[in-house]
Amino acid sequence: MAECKVKFNPDGKIVSIESGMTIAEASDLAGITIDSPCAGNGTCGKCKVIVTAGNPEPPTEAEERFFSEDELKAGYRLACQTIVKCNMEVTIPEDTRIRPIKILSVGAGQEIVLHPNISKIYVELEEQTLARQIADFANIKEAIKSNFPDVCTDLKVLRQLPKILRDSKFKVTLVLDGNKLVGVEAGDTTNKNYGIAVDIGTTTVVSTVVDLNTGKEISVASALNTQATHGADVISRINYTVEENDGLAELSDRIIGVIKQISEYACAEAHVNMKDIYEVTVVGNTTMTHLFLKVPVRNLALLPYVGVFSDPVDVKASELGFNFNPDANVYVLPNIAGFVGADTVGVILASALNRSETIKLAIDIGTNGEVALGSKERLLTCSTAAGPAFEGAMITYGMRGAPGAIERVDLKDKPIIQVIGGGKPIGICGSGLIDVVAEMLRLGIVDETGRMANPDDLNISPELKKYIRKNDEYGPHLVLYEQDGHEVVITQKDVRQVQLAKGAIKAGIEIMMNKLGIKLDDISEVLMAGAFGNYIKKENAIRLGLIPNFPLDKVKFIGNAAAAGAKMALMSKEAREEGIRIARFAEYIELATDPNFQNEFMDAMTFPTDSELTFLS
């Protein structure tokens, strides 16, 4: 097959590829990650590029839908649709690239007694003599039998013992994983005992280094999940593993690579040697934990949506390709169901929802919307098909929470915007989207059905009316920013996407309340978890109906609770065991099979009226 060269500007990177690949595939080989929330299906229009040299194939129907005739003549194309069959030069605009985003790495966790699974014990063993002919391993067992009466080990350690013991004059540090001796180190190394807690999100990944001797968090690093190249949602990624022969291996390698990168960075920041990492705990939704372990995910997208495993998994870090201590263990927390995974177990563990005397509601609004409702008596969970709208997908100028994203909006005589990183806005992220739709509702620009009003019918300032417009390209829309030929607008279609997303979450909550036979007054607290939940204004979330009409002081942000749960499992055997009990105790509600779901969903799509918002007076 013919070879083509593609040069990407302004990076100046050149890659050689086989003829027939897309520009998106070529950019990936060049190490340039293009935003592609629709997984290359040509439905989102986010991967726009400009072909400045070379003769691409005629535009596809998708490209004709997203670009005008003049734009196509100027070289505008969709990277996922344009096939490379000759040498090309391609410019990738800033708003097409996946940029570093604001990632929430901290979360509230319960106080626990420090009792990690990994122990390091310094011993000075009595040397053997003719009068005391005791085997090396038996000598070790004798020295620690009061605290570890049933120690075992493996062949690898047995083979290492003779040399290490005698080279160190029988002064060694024993490394125990529970009651298993997994390593022996010369001298006293007890002060070097670290672990890492990992939260694998669909969009972002967080790695936290913890001192297992003190329980102190000493360094955190985070990055985007590079699997996003193949879609913003889990279904797109599952489909990729089915459609591509090496899809499963590629997505597994991508997440392992991200964890390696951020773990190395976090260790370097804390001056911790990677070889002193003895245990890793991992949370993520069910698809993410399966992909992490390179376990097939096909059946998670097919009825009845079951995974391969739900119990916790232990695996040697070296088997996964990590360069931690050779004997380091990786512990993946249990899953609850096909679409409610170890991350939700982490949220419940960190919030102690399973031990609560009163009924509480926990909502983790990320790329997926997981909800848990209940107390120590009964605990329900569900996954809502909120879609990635709050991550910027399917929104006209939507983007993730990266520099250049509008994150705050107030509507006065003109739109007042706050941009991440300052400067000119590129688009709008989830928190800004919640703000602007809430403001439009407050002023009557959008009614409870989601319909945008005619500005002439509105009782708002004449200055603000100038920003409400209608044209053939967008239909009715609100202009948030326009300067030098660039604009950021919110369209009628964008409002509908918000209604779909928030409606799915609200309907899930209503179904679970019905299952428990409770009303809003029976819920003592609403706990908002996850990065997105931590950045939104709770009064605006209530105005949209994203969360129930609740007293503001009872709505609490608990940060990245999934990561906090992973840290708890790293620091405490008891927390780890509680995580297993949570996965068995929590009931999963499959919303799609509930006979009331469609009606609840249709009702939930409407926005609350002012008379219903009793706590926002």
Side-chain angles (χ1 to χ4, degrees):
M1 188 172 287
E3 186 177 274
C4 304
K5 290 185 177 180
V6 182
K7 180 178 181 180
F8 290 101
N9 294 318
D11 310 76
K13 291 186 176 180
I14 300 174
V15 291
S16 295
I17 63 169
E18 290 183 351
S19 173
M21 295 177 70
T22 64
I23 290 176
E25 291 171 322
S27 73
D28 194 39
L29 289 174
I32 303 169
T33 308
I34 289 178
D35 201 7
S36 182
C38 72
N41 291 314
T43 58
C44 70
K46 300 290 185 184
C47 63
K48 65 181 179 183
V49 296
I50 307 167
V51 178
T52 56
N55 296 306
E57 295 287 295
T60 64
E61 289 184 11
E63 290 172 314
E64 290 177 339
R65 187 168 64 251
F66 283 106
F67 299 120
S68 67
E69 187 175 338
D70 288 342
E71 286 175 320
L72 289 170
K73 287 180 180 178
Y76 279 86
R77 305 299 291 264
L78 294 179
C80 71
Q81 298 289 298
T82 304
I83 304 297
V84 178
K85 291 190 175 180
C86 62
N87 294 340
M88 283 185 180
E89 283 196 30
V90 179
T91 296
I92 303 179
E94 278 299 307
D95 55 346
T96 297
R97 301 165 185 257
I98 292 184
R99 298 151 63 89
I101 66 175
K102 287 177 71 172
I103 298 175
L104 185 68
S105 57
V106 296
Q110 299 296 311
E111 288 189 3
I112 56 172
V113 175
L114 184 63
H115 188 197
N117 202 48
I118 296 294
S119 305
K120 292 188 77 173
I121 305 167
Y122 174 68
V123 293
E124 295 185 4
L125 299 172
E126 183 181 350
E127 294 188 36
Q128 299 101 326
T129 64
L130 285 174
R132 185 175 176 272
Q133 294 183 352
I134 185 171
D136 287 342
F137 183 49
N139 201 11
I140 289 173
K141 291 172 68 175
E142 178 69 22
I144 61 173
K145 65 181 180 181
S146 59
N147 292 320
F148 297 89
D150 300 310
V151 173
C152 61
T153 192
D154 56 30
L155 184 59
K156 178 183 174 183
V157 173
L158 292 177
R159 287 171 172 168
Q160 295 171 343
L161 277 181
K163 180 173 174 55
I164 292 176
L165 291 179
R166 285 154 185 84
D167 285 352
S168 61
K169 301 187 184 303
F170 290 85
K171 297 176 181 180
V172 293
T173 297
L174 309 176
V175 183
L176 292 113
D177 182 345
N179 278 328
K180 183 177 181 180
L181 181 67
V182 296
V184 180
E185 299 171 353
D188 186 354
T189 63
T190 53
N191 64 326
K192 299 176 180 179
N193 186 18
Y194 301 98
I196 288 180
V198 177
D199 173 22
I200 305 174
T202 310
T203 303
T204 60
V205 187
V206 178
S207 180
T208 306
V209 180
V210 176
D211 186 330
L212 296 180
N213 289 330
T214 65
K216 182 181 178 182
E217 177 184 307
I218 56 176
S219 183
V220 181
S222 53
L224 286 166
N225 186 336
T226 58
Q227 294 174 343
T229 298
H230 300 297
D233 59 280
V234 296
I235 298 300
S236 296
R237 297 183 201 177
I238 292 171
N239 289 339
Y240 183 76
T241 70
V242 174
E243 294 164 1
E244 300 293 329
N245 289 334
D246 298 324
L248 177 61
E250 180 190 337
L251 294 189
S252 180
D253 289 345
R254 280 180 178 270
I255 194 58
I256 294 289
V258 172
I259 295 171
K260 278 183 180 179
Q261 179 186 22
I262 60 177
S263 296
E264 287 173 3
Y265 179 82
C267 284
E269 285 287 296
H271 305 290
V272 170
N273 191 313
M274 292 282 281
K275 300 303 180 186
D276 293 327
I277 301 295
Y278 293 93
E279 184 142 58
V280 179
T281 53
V282 177
V283 297
N285 64 49
T286 308
T287 301
M288 290 301 105
T289 55
H290 277 58
L291 291 176
F292 169 67
L293 295 171
K294 206 183 296 185
V295 174
V297 290
R298 178 190 181 96
N299 291 321
L300 285 170
L302 301 173
L303 284 169
Y305 312 120
V306 295
V308 176
F309 64 90
S310 58
D311 291 332
V313 175
D314 285 282
V315 60
K316 286 288 187 184
S318 55
E319 288 185 44
L320 298 174
F322 290 116
N323 55 342
F324 302 127
N325 186 283
D327 300 306
N329 181 63
V330 175
Y331 178 85
V332 181
L333 274 71
N335 298 312
I336 294 173
F339 287 105
V340 178
D343 51 352
T344 302
V345 171
V347 170
I348 295 169
L349 180 62
S351 63
L353 191 59
N354 60 306
R355 291 188 274 121
S356 175
E357 297 286 342
T358 59
I359 296 173
K360 296 181 180 181
L361 171 66
I363 310 172
D364 190 348
I365 307 175
T367 308
N368 310 298
E370 292 93 0
V371 183
L373 175 68
S375 65
K376 69 176 186 178
E377 301 300 329
R378 189 182 181 193
L379 183 59
L380 305 184
T381 63
C382 75
S383 176
T384 63
F390 294 132
E391 300 282 351
M394 311 311 292
I395 303 299
T396 307
Y397 283 90
M399 62 183 290
R400 296 178 176 91
I406 296 173
E407 63 174 341
R408 288 281 179 262
V409 179
D410 286 304
L411 298 182
K412 305 296 185 184
D413 286 340
K414 66 176 183 177
I416 308 299
I417 61 174
Q418 179 178 317
V419 180
I420 297 175
K424 296 179 180 179
I426 297 171
I428 187 166
C429 65
S431 60
L433 187 64
I434 295 294
D435 277 2
V436 70
V437 177
E439 284 286 271
M440 292 166 79
L441 283 164
R442 180 179 65 83
L443 295 171
I445 299 171
V446 167
D447 66 19
E448 64 268 20
T449 70
R451 178 179 172 274
M452 290 184 68
N454 186 319
D456 294 335
D457 299 332
L458 294 173
N459 184 25
I460 59 175
S461 72
E463 291 82 1
L464 184 58
K465 284 185 180 182
K466 296 175 184 176
Y467 292 88
I468 304 171
R469 303 173 191 171
K470 183 177 182 179
N471 60 24
D472 292 338
E473 182 178 4
Y474 300 129
H477 62 280
L478 171 69
V479 178
L480 295 177
Y481 174 87
E482 57 179 348
Q483 188 174 320
D484 301 328
H486 177 63
E487 61 187 356
V488 178
V489 308
I490 294 297
T491 69
Q492 177 70 77
K493 179 183 76 69
D494 298 335
V495 175
R496 296 300 186 205
Q497 289 295 326
V498 171
Q499 287 180 274
L500 289 169
K502 76 96 182 177
I505 294 171
K506 186 173 185 292
I509 294 170
E510 293 289 341
I511 293 290
M512 291 202 297
M513 286 173 57
N514 292 338
K515 295 282 186 186
L516 286 180
I518 64 170
K519 300 184 182 301
L520 270 181
D521 292 344
D522 297 316
I523 300 174
S524 64
E525 275 186 335
V526 175
L527 307 175
M528 300 290 289
F532 179 70
N534 206 64
Y535 291 127
I536 64 176
K537 293 180 180 178
K538 50 189 173 183
E539 57 268 34
N540 285 345
I542 291 174
R543 184 173 292 280
L544 263 62
L546 178 62
I547 59 177
N549 179 36
F550 227 68
L552 293 180
D553 62 345
K554 290 188 176 182
V555 179
K556 298 182 179 179
F557 296 121
I558 58 174
N560 190 344
K567 285 185 286 185
M568 290 173 66
L570 180 65
M571 294 187 288
S572 167
K573 291 181 183 179
E574 290 74 20
R576 192 172 296 194
E577 291 165 1
E578 186 171 2
I580 296 172
R581 291 195 295 272
I582 287 169
R584 293 171 180 169
F585 171 62
E587 301 173 42
Y588 173 67
I589 305 299
E590 179 54 67
L591 298 178
T593 62
D594 190 285
N596 297 319
F597 178 72
Q598 286 303 323
N599 289 335
E600 291 286 0
F601 180 56
M602 293 302 294
D603 290 343
M605 281 183 61
T606 61
F607 294 114
T609 61
D610 286 344
S611 61
E612 294 173 311
L613 298 172
T614 54
F615 297 108
L616 294 183
S617 57

